[in-house]
Amino acid sequence: MARGTLAMLPILALALLLVMGPDCRAEDYRFDDAEMEKKPYHVGGYAEFRPLFFGLDRDAAQYLLKFYNRDEGDTATEYNGKLQLEGSLEKGVGRLFVRTNSDYRNSYQGASFRTTIYDGYLSLKPSSSLTLDIGKKSLRWGKGYAWNPVAFLDRPKDPDDPELNLEGFIIASADYIKSFTGPVQTVSFTPVLLPVYDRVNDDFGTLRHVNAGGRLYLLIHDTDIDLVFLAGGSRTNRYGVDFSRNITSNFEVHGEFAYIEEFRKRTVDAAGSTTEREYDAKSWLLGVRYLSEAETTCIAEYYRNGTGFSKSEMRGFFSTINEGFAAFRAGGDDSLLRKAASLAEGGYGRMNPMKDYLYARVSQKEPFDLLYFTPALTSIINLDDGSFSLSPELLYTGVTNLELRLKANVLVGEAGSEYGEKQNDYRVELRARYYF
Amino acid sequence: MRSITAFILILMMALSAHALDGGELLKQVDRNLNPESYESYRKLINIEPDGRKKEYVLFSVKKGTDKVAALFISPASEKGRTTLRLGENMWLYMPTVGKPIRITSLQSVVGGVFNNADILQLDYAAEYDVEKAEETGGEYLLHLKAKTGTVAYDRLRLWADRQRKLPVRIECLTAAGMLIKTIYFKEVKDFGGGIVRPSVIETDSPLFRGYKSVMIFAKIRKKTFKDEVFTLTFMPNLESLR
């Protein structure tokens, strides 16, 4: 009897499962009101830990410029912590938004801690067609992924990590939107005022000016088009246009063009003599984004930097550093190196200071059934001197709100080339970011 | 001769009275599934073969046949992301990036078996023509063909309940007839305001064996929106509609 009952158990269990099956699933699929509730306030952000390991290039010009009076050895480690907090408060047509960024760094220079308000603005929305903003805000104009020559009112982004938040400027702006039926589907206009005074946007340009900028956005025949401008005195007048369009459902093309009036470029020759030249600069970018059926995403962008340095102008800068280092070693005179450091704070210190670049990135979502893993390979190639950076990375997002990224960065180039003269040969970093 | 003509005429009238108008039926299925303009909340659950889950909560709004927008409410890593679809144009706005970027219908902003076209679903009649309509037992079977090459699936086989005229199951196929995924419509629920429709949509795919994605609907309400809501400039402000 007992044996018979035991034999029946699997059948009973199966029957029970079949009967209970739908109810069990219903239990799994709960969707509570609390999950949809809207609160008038929001507090969130992320905390990040990012240790880095560098392989230093002790012969490179940028290494000599930074470490000429001390020996840092062949390798260096750095520990970074970041806390990015954001909060908002909504009442009626008004919304207050604040985003702060706190960076902790422990490196060869010692420990440092800095908190910056990235965004902090009041937004008024009297109708769905009109928004008024006043305060510190990042605008992020342009369609390019790695570079944005038309982002006249933004700080430059890091092509090595283009999706990072950026610190904004203090502005007053409005957005007016109008939709239509027909080939022109949307028109929106964004006028912007950006004051530059002592302690107000004082790193933007010449003080005591109120700069006026604007963007006219059009969606015409399924193509996004922006016309942008900036005038006012803190920087020279500039105008731009960008576009983005899907050629097919998985192939997108985008571009930007910027015209900068009276751009001033300061160059240095091998003897350390500086020259300033004024001209109208034209920068542009053309890019594509493609998604294959196997979910491989490819992004490629060509960037022509009209404000950049030529190969000989860049060699002049590196020669100045090498001459300065030789003078320092010979008699302790570091005046030429200090001059080079001052030039590096200007145009020569930009992330991509030369004229012609190619950006290429290939990422593969979940290869070999490795769920939530996305490997990617990114390269930035300097087409003027043939040097390049190569960055393999592995992203894991399998745990809710946790993002882990392991990334390496290898720099390849001959002496006198941009990447060949960087202070590092390679870099490895782990980034653990937790959202809350 | 006159009696034969009369018989043929009566026969033709009788046949046409019973002929299935697939196009009209598809429009009815669309309207029964969603009001033309509405707001709703959805929970998306991606379930792995080992039972692990990832959940996302979205607020979405739709207007007319070709305008849909959605806002991610949770988890924290996705909060504030918005997606917009105008016909075959799709954009994703991420607060970290700070500007909309174009995305494709085949991608998935949440991973799992649902792609962007499933999450930002337009009316079926807006994207597909009915090639053939059949009656099979208690269901209608509609054979749908994409109107353009930019639609995510070239062909659909849609089974609809004959009484309720609501979808029961949809098979999504490539142009060559290969099955990409099957979508199951379950647990019909009265959402109020005359909206009675499936509250759970499940999908599985032979391309993702063992994986399953589920969409649960709540608080579907008829609501009208201005066209300006469905623009790139408005994407960072979708939260203001809740």
Side-chain angles (χ1 to χ4, degrees), chain B residues 14-64:
Chain B
L15 281 172
S16 66
H18 281 87
L20 207 50
D21 184 342
E24 194 51 42
L25 182 58
L26 186 62
K27 283 180 185 165
Q28 284 180 42
V29 168
D30 278 327
R31 269 313 55 78
N32 292 342
L33 200 53
N34 293 311
E36 198 164 336
S37 288
Y38 70 97
E39 66 171 29
S40 74
Y41 286 87
R42 281 179 287 170
K43 181 189 264 189
L44 260 70
I45 310 172
N46 290 335
I47 305 164
E48 297 171 36
D50 64 3
R52 280 205 304 167
K53 292 178 191 168
K54 280 195 98 174
E55 297 186 349
Y56 306 84
V57 176
L58 291 93
F59 168 72
S60 46
V61 293
K62 179 176 174 283
K63 181 175 183 178

Side-chain angles (χ1 to χ4, degrees), chain B residues 160-177:
Chain B
D161 182 280
R162 277 182 73 167
Q163 277 193 325
R164 287 178 160 145
K165 293 194 176 67
L166 280 169
V168 176
R169 186 169 90 248
I170 297 176
E171 287 180 353
C172 308
L173 309 152
T174 64

Side-chain angles (χ1 to χ4, degrees), chain A residues 336-400:
Chain A
L336 203 53
L337 283 167
R338 280 192 275 114
K339 186 175 187 177
S342 147
L343 286 162
E345 281 172 17
Y348 282 109
R350 280 180 291 176
M351 270 172 271
N352 293 117
M354 292 178 71
K355 282 183 179 294
D356 297 283
Y357 290 95
L358 186 68
Y359 177 93
R361 179 178 169 85
V362 180
S363 63
Q364 175 63 54
K365 190 183 163 200
E366 297 169 358
F368 314 114
D369 289 333
L370 289 167
L371 209 65
Y372 303 120
F373 276 99
T374 304
L377 185 66
T378 307
S379 184
I380 300 174
I381 304 162
N382 183 326
L383 298 173
D384 297 317
D385 62 21
S387 66
F388 62 94
S389 74
L390 195 64
S391 307
E393 68 176 71
L394 188 59
L395 181 72
Y396 177 70
T397 55
V399 179
T400 300

Side-chain angles (χ1 to χ4, degrees), chain A residues 387-423:
Chain A
S387 66
F388 62 94
S389 74
L390 195 64
S391 307
E393 68 176 71
L394 188 59
L395 181 72
Y396 177 70
T397 55
V399 179
T400 300
N401 292 329
L402 181 69
E403 192 181 283
L404 297 172
R405 188 183 76 175
L406 182 65
K407 184 174 179 178
N409 182 239
V410 181
L411 307 181
V412 181
E414 292 175 357
S417 66
E418 180 189 347
Y419 288 102
E421 297 291 358
K422 296 261 188 204
Q423 71 172 48

Side-chain angles (χ1 to χ4, degrees), chain B residues 201-221:
Chain B
I201 298 178
E202 285 183 8
T203 185
D204 54 32
S205 166
L207 307 176
F208 299 90
R209 289 213 178 273
Y211 295 95
K212 189 165 80 169
S213 288
V214 181
M215 216 187 283
I216 311 163
F217 287 78
K219 295 188 178 176
I220 305 178
R221 292 192 195 115

Side-chain angles (χ1 to χ4, degrees), chain A residues 12 39 82 124 150 154 163 198 202 268 314 368 374 421 427:
Chain A
L12 285 170
K39 292 176 183 154
K82 187 193 282 281
L124 297 174
V150 302
D154 286 304
E163 295 191 356
D198 189 24
D202 51 10
V268 63
M314 206 67 201
F368 314 114
T374 304
E421 297 291 358
R427 187 183 74 188

